[in-house]
Amino acid sequence: MAATKKEQRPSLVIRNARPADAAEIARLSGKVYSEEEAYSPAMIRGQVTSFPDGQFVAEYEGQIVGYCATFLTREALALAPHRWDEITGHGFASRHDPKGDWLYGMEVFIDPEFRNLRIGQRLYNERKKLCQYLRLKGVVFGGRLPGLAKRRRRVGTPEEYVEQVQNKKIRDPVLSFQLRNGFEFIGILHDYLPDDTASLGHAAHLVWRNPQVPQTDDQEQGEGSGRLPDAVRVATVQYELRRVNSFEQFQQYIEYFVDVVADYGADFVTFPEMFTLQLLSLEEHPLGPAESIDYLTGYTERFKEFMSHLAVRYNVNIIGGSHPTKLPSGDTQNICYVFLRDGAIHEQSKIHPTPNERYWWNISGGSEVTSIMTDCGVIGVMICYDAEFPEMARHLTNQGAQILFVPSCTDERQSFLRVRYCCQARAVENQSYVVVSGNCGNLPGVENLDIQYAQSCILTPCDFGFDRDGIAADTTPNTEMVAIADLRLEALTTARNQGTVQNLNDRRFDLYSVRWKSR
């Protein structure tokens, strides 16, 4: 009987949030706020991937019932007047600064049904423990004033309202709790959250100073988790389309390149868009464009199984070009499958089919763009034409992506240059690495894929600390070959926070943003 009672004891744990929690956390935010004000899964992934150690969930009986989001920022920004949208990168935590000396608390919310478990207290304690572990100066945030609107005629200004709360003449459900937890009021943040009508848009600027760290400008910072390698070796395959006599022969060609890059110690290898179309040469009778794509979708599961096996066997993460796939809805999408060396398979649909893809192949566009956590950092995929839309790269960067892979398929030089120039722009404006892989060779028997032009490349931002001309490696045009480069993730961090230009930090969050709409 005693053992049975012990097994039934409720459990409440605080742990770090994981990317896989994003959908559940987003649903909880909709329950706490409203569907219009809720975080999207992409925003949660951005927070988690930007600073994995700084995001916490409260899990009760296996259910997520609370969430706490933080990021690192520098004192000059944290203690100056600011707005929530600006300092948090519109809720993605994309302004996380690994060299920051303050922990910024951007969000805490609790399931209303579990507010009697002191979950808020536990989450605030986790913030303080993290702050002390990283030897940061303290915790800073803008706290809501939900009682201000009701009392504005009686108390006057926000400053007078806070003073009365401090003197315990009135009680504010949020500010009173924060003051009891040792936070110091340093001023009012005006227009902090304009949509917060209960607080009249204002917030209390609050800090908790770490007693274990001198409050000077030159203390050493914690090193963080150190989970990622100093350099990531990336390979791009410029693949020659050719006739094959069997699926096994197709497998031999692909395995050859995976074997080669694995011998060179590559962490990633990427193949071009639609490189599986060479399987159409197995069909004895000519097929129309739409028939060709329908035929090719029959190889989807066999292709996925084979590529995943290669990724695990050769210990390399494979960006599997793209492959047309029939969905349960009956639509066909152009999907890039990402095969990680731990056996996981991710997929990213092409968002923007070209006019030819829509007309000839009946390809429809996807609607979700999701970053992918790997053992070498966070990556994103844009398929060819997608790279010509800057919103996609920015959305992936907001979710923490540092390397953007672009499988492409272009028929002549102008088409190739559109993709190439846009990829270089994406590398500059997002201060990210961009890896492009294209097809060469010809498939005379395949409608709408007669000729190919490619010069695959590995692109970097254009600043000190990166390769000349922003090109880490590239290939000879229209020649089957492999390009390999070592990419330092730390160089991106340095550029984003100390570069000659700082495109991410200097965004005007007060003027514009990228907001992804759910369908």
Side-chain angles (χ1 to χ4, degrees):
M1 291 294 293
T4 303
K5 288 182 180 179
K6 186 174 181 180
E7 290 173 1
Q8 293 176 348
R9 183 178 300 166
S11 63
L12 174 60
V13 298
I14 306 296
R15 62 168 175 82
N16 283 115
R18 300 184 285 262
D21 298 324
E24 189 173 355
I25 295 171
R27 283 194 297 270
L28 177 58
S29 73
K31 180 178 180 180
V32 173
Y33 300 124
S34 66
E35 292 301 323
E36 294 75 21
E37 297 173 327
Y39 287 91
S40 67
M43 295 167 78
I44 302 298
R45 281 191 296 270
Q47 297 163 18
V48 174
T49 55
S50 293
F51 185 33
D53 291 338
Q55 323 309 321
F56 304 98
V57 295
E59 195 174 66
Y60 183 76
E61 296 286 297
Q63 175 186 352
I64 292 177
V65 297
Y67 179 62
C68 172
T70 70
F71 59 91
L72 299 185
T73 186
R74 299 191 187 230
E75 181 170 297
L77 179 61
L79 301 189
H82 58 267
R83 296 177 57 181
W84 187 88
D85 269 2
E86 295 171 355
I87 200 165
T88 68
H90 284 288
F92 284 89
S94 56
R95 300 190 75 181
H96 167 68
D97 182 353
K99 300 296 185 182
D101 48 2
W102 284 81
L103 186 69
Y104 195 92
M106 67 173 284
E107 182 63 88
V108 171
F109 53 79
I110 314 296
D111 190 319
E113 299 177 24
F114 295 88
R115 285 180 178 165
N116 61 338
L117 298 177
R118 298 186 179 181
I119 294 172
Q121 180 70 65
R122 299 169 194 255
L123 293 173
Y124 272 78
N125 289 344
E126 288 298 320
R127 281 181 174 174
K128 291 178 180 179
K129 286 193 290 185
L130 178 63
C131 176
Q132 291 176 324
Y133 175 73
L134 296 178
R135 293 193 57 76
L136 304 172
K137 288 185 176 181
V139 181
V140 57
F141 59 88
R144 295 184 63 239
L145 304 171
L148 178 59
K150 296 178 180 178
R151 296 184 173 95
R152 60 179 169 179
R153 291 184 180 178
R154 180 154 57 94
V155 300
T157 66
E159 289 81 0
E160 292 169 334
Y161 176 80
V162 171
E163 182 179 356
Q164 291 196 31
V165 174
Q166 288 176 312
N167 294 331
K168 300 181 181 178
K169 293 181 179 179
I170 57 177
R171 182 184 179 278
D172 183 277
V174 174
L175 180 59
S176 296
F177 166 78
Q178 292 160 344
L179 293 175
R180 285 198 308 272
N181 277 272
F183 286 90
E184 170 192 349
F185 172 71
I186 61 173
I188 291 292
L189 294 170
H190 297 282
D191 203 28
Y192 181 72
L193 272 172
D195 294 336
D196 184 1
T197 56
S199 305
L200 300 179
H202 305 300
H205 202 177
L206 297 165
V207 300
W208 175 81
R209 302 182 191 277
N210 185 356
Q212 300 178 359
V213 173
Q215 299 295 308
T216 60
D217 293 330
D218 57 356
Q219 93 257 25
E220 295 181 3
Q221 298 302 310
E223 293 299 322
S225 60
R227 296 170 182 161
L228 299 180
D230 292 333
V232 176
R233 182 160 293 176
V234 174
T236 177
V237 176
Q238 187 158 286
Y239 187 79
E240 181 179 348
L241 294 174
R242 52 171 74 77
R243 294 188 64 85
V244 291
N245 298 319
S246 65
F247 187 82
E248 289 71 25
Q249 187 179 36
F250 168 75
Q251 290 176 311
Q252 290 171 7
Y253 289 141
I254 304 308
E255 185 168 2
Y256 165 79
F257 285 108
V258 175
D259 188 6
V260 166
V261 300
D263 283 345
Y264 281 90
D267 296 297
F268 292 97
V269 59
T270 182
F271 287 90
E273 178 188 25
M274 289 290 193
F275 78 119
T276 59
L277 261 69
Q278 66 183 143
L279 291 170
L280 292 176
S281 59
L282 298 177
E283 180 61 26
E284 296 180 358
H285 305 289
L287 297 175
E291 292 177 304
S292 297
I293 295 302
D294 286 340
Y295 172 83
L296 201 59
T297 62
Y299 285 99
T300 299
E301 293 307 316
R302 195 173 176 186
F303 168 72
K304 289 168 62 178
E305 181 181 358
F306 167 67
M307 296 295 279
S308 183
H309 171 74
L310 289 184
V312 174
R313 177 184 175 189
Y314 288 98
N315 192 33
V316 59
N317 300 305
I318 301 176
I319 315 300
S322 77
H323 176 76
T325 301
K326 182 81 73 175
L327 304 181
S329 64
D331 292 341
T332 300
Q333 291 187 353
N334 187 4
I335 296 178
C336 174
Y337 294 97
V338 177
F339 306 94
L340 301 186
R341 50 189 169 192
D342 64 2
I345 302 176
H346 299 265
E347 57 185 72
Q348 176 60 64
S349 297
K350 190 172 187 177
I351 303 299
H352 306 91
T354 63
N356 273 344
E357 286 177 275
R358 295 194 301 268
Y359 179 78
W360 290 104
W361 292 338
N362 294 325
I363 297 287
S364 59
S367 58
E368 294 292 331
V369 180
T370 305
S371 65
I372 300 169
M373 175 64 81
T374 75
D375 59 343
C376 295
V378 187
I379 67 168
V381 173
M382 303 182 294
I383 302 175
C384 199
Y385 191 32
D386 285 341
E388 299 179 31
F389 297 84
E391 297 85 357
M392 267 196 67
R394 180 54 51 85
H395 188 53
L396 287 166
T397 302
N398 282 339
Q399 296 177 61
Q402 297 171 294
I403 307 175
L404 303 174
F405 290 92
V406 183
S408 70
C409 179
T410 52
D411 55 354
E412 37 74 42
R413 183 172 169 80
Q414 289 94 329
S415 302
F416 154 73
L417 288 177
R418 285 195 297 270
V419 175
R420 172 67 176 260
Y421 291 153
C422 288
C423 286
Q424 188 75 71
R426 304 296 86 85
V428 169
E429 66 199 14
N430 294 291
Q431 295 180 291
S432 300
Y433 296 117
V434 180
V435 183
V436 185
S437 177
N439 294 301
C440 59
N442 309 308
L443 282 176
V446 179
E447 297 270 0
N448 200 39
L449 203 74
D450 308 290
I451 57 174
Q452 299 298 300
Y453 187 101
Q455 184 178 17
S456 304
C457 53
I458 302 171
L459 305 174
T460 77
C462 294
D463 203 347
F464 296 107
F466 298 102
D467 297 276
R468 179 182 173 182
D469 302 328
I471 304 170
D474 60 5
T475 63
T476 302
N478 292 335
T479 301
E480 186 172 66
M481 61 185 296
V482 177
I484 303 176
D486 285 342
L487 306 179
R488 293 185 303 111
L489 301 183
E490 179 63 25
L492 294 181
T493 301
T494 301
R496 290 174 174 183
N497 295 286
Q498 302 174 35
T500 306
V501 293
Q502 298 167 29
N503 303 73
L504 293 185
N505 282 341
D506 291 338
R507 286 176 287 176
R508 289 291 302 276
F509 290 101
D510 57 324
L511 297 179
Y512 53 80
S513 67
V514 174
R515 296 186 182 275
W516 201 265
K517 298 180 179 180
S518 298
R519 292 185 61 182

